[in-house]
Amino acid sequence: MLGLLLLQVLASCLWLGHSEVVTPFAGCPQFFYAGIPPNDALNPKNPAWICQRFRNSYHYATLYDRDRRIPVYSAYKYEPGDAKKPPEWWMVEPQVNNNVNLKEMERDWILIEQHKFTLDQINQSQAVPADYKGLKGLDRGHLSPSGHQFSSESKMATFTLTNIVPQDSSLNGGRSCLEISMPGDTQMPTIRDSGQPALAAPAGSWSLD
């Protein structure tokens, strides 16, 4: 009986130590249609559900593949604002690494100098700035674009490599016009490009019941 009680106390302590990598997006459902994330059809083998937190606020949500060190998607609200584009200070997510309780994105050199990380520890489960150096014909492509965010803090929060995929340089910086229509009489959102239907997202992608 005493052993069972000790196991329960240990489990409670481990739960309290959880960071902002959550299952599944429990801390930031506001970035999903009807507050419900997609089902597990897109989940990689070793996922991280990241509520992207910067300066004590959530700005969007990212499903991340730790093994391939690349995001699957980022979910956000389209709220463009007039705030200036921030400096490109590329950050990483310490909470993607196992057994780490730092809640906010940070620059890799700060983690190394102030929190005693090694570059190998960071690089084990996510991309680092060095991975994108020297690439020909490819840029860092935002899944949650800086230009779709309202405030300076929200724009800066998009400059984490957990929100980045390799993007053809000819597409980076170009205009992208997407409109998501949510008609009241259907559960199938339609994504439009320049006024033309481009994609119908099946209702089965969400668990609406």
Side-chain angles (χ1 to χ4, degrees), residues 105-160:
M105 61 186 72
E106 191 54 88
R107 300 176 73 179
D108 59 347
W109 66 267
I110 292 179
L111 293 179
I112 293 170
E113 292 186 4
Q114 298 182 10
H115 299 283
K116 308 305 179 184
F117 278 72
T118 67
L119 187 58
D120 286 342
Q121 285 176 324
I122 300 171
N123 196 34
Q124 189 175 35
S125 57
Q126 62 185 298
V128 296
D131 291 321
Y132 284 89
K133 289 183 179 179
L135 295 181
K136 295 183 179 179
L138 293 173
D139 291 335
R140 301 175 183 90
H142 287 71
L143 295 186
S144 174
S146 171
H148 290 185
Q149 301 292 333
F150 178 77
S151 68
S152 297
E153 289 76 15
S154 292
K155 290 178 183 293
M156 188 172 291
T158 66
F159 286 88
T160 169

